[in-house]
Amino acid sequence: MPALVRQYRENQPCPHILLKDFLDPESALSAAMEFPQATERRLDAVQAANENKLGMSKRELFPAMLAAVSDEFNSPEFVAWVSELTGIPGLMADPMLEAAACTNLGRAVT
């Protein structure tokens, strides 16, 4: 982990990291296949000054693999890992799926 923390903090022009094969390739493919199409009515449209996206905050509607990935990203262990990686203390999961990155499961619209 120390090497990842250093890489994250030293990347330019701002702290960031690329984690190749972050998800198991089979899981990533399965999740991609389950990803809802932009035309699906169950997606919520979000339009604001700085965003125009589709999302889904109803966890019970998630297909199995997307639900598993979302659950993992909201787990205390993963949130603690991201906190350690970024050096941002006190990160919290978003169990309502309203504002966290995992609410971006819908495809962006342009």
Side-chain angles (χ1 to χ4, degrees):
M1 182 68 145
L4 290 178
V5 170
R6 186 171 40 262
Q7 181 182 353
Y8 169 83
R9 292 184 180 157
E10 293 175 358
N11 277 336
Q12 294 297 320
C14 61
H16 68 280
I17 195 164
L18 171 63
L19 301 170
K20 291 185 178 185
D21 296 323
F22 181 68
L23 293 176
D24 167 71
E26 287 183 31
S27 298
L29 181 58
S30 179
M33 298 300 289
E34 290 181 352
F35 216 81
Q37 296 296 313
T39 55
E40 289 192 35
R41 302 184 114 203
R42 62 185 173 160
L43 296 175
D44 303 315
V46 177
Q47 292 183 321
N50 63 345
E51 63 186 355
N52 184 11
K53 68 180 184 178
L54 296 173
M56 185 185 307
S57 60
K58 295 179 181 129
R59 163 64 180 77
E60 66 275 8
L61 296 179
F62 285 22
M65 185 53 72
L66 288 178
V69 170
S70 178
D71 291 347
E72 182 64 28
F73 288 167
N74 270 301
S75 72
E77 297 82 8
F78 184 77
V79 173
W81 183 85
V82 172
S83 183
E84 183 180 346
L85 174 69
T86 63
I88 301 171
L91 290 179
M92 297 172 20
D94 181 12
M96 300 301 294
L97 302 177
E98 293 293 332
C102 59
T103 63
N104 292 326
L105 292 173
R107 296 178 189 221
V109 290
T110 57

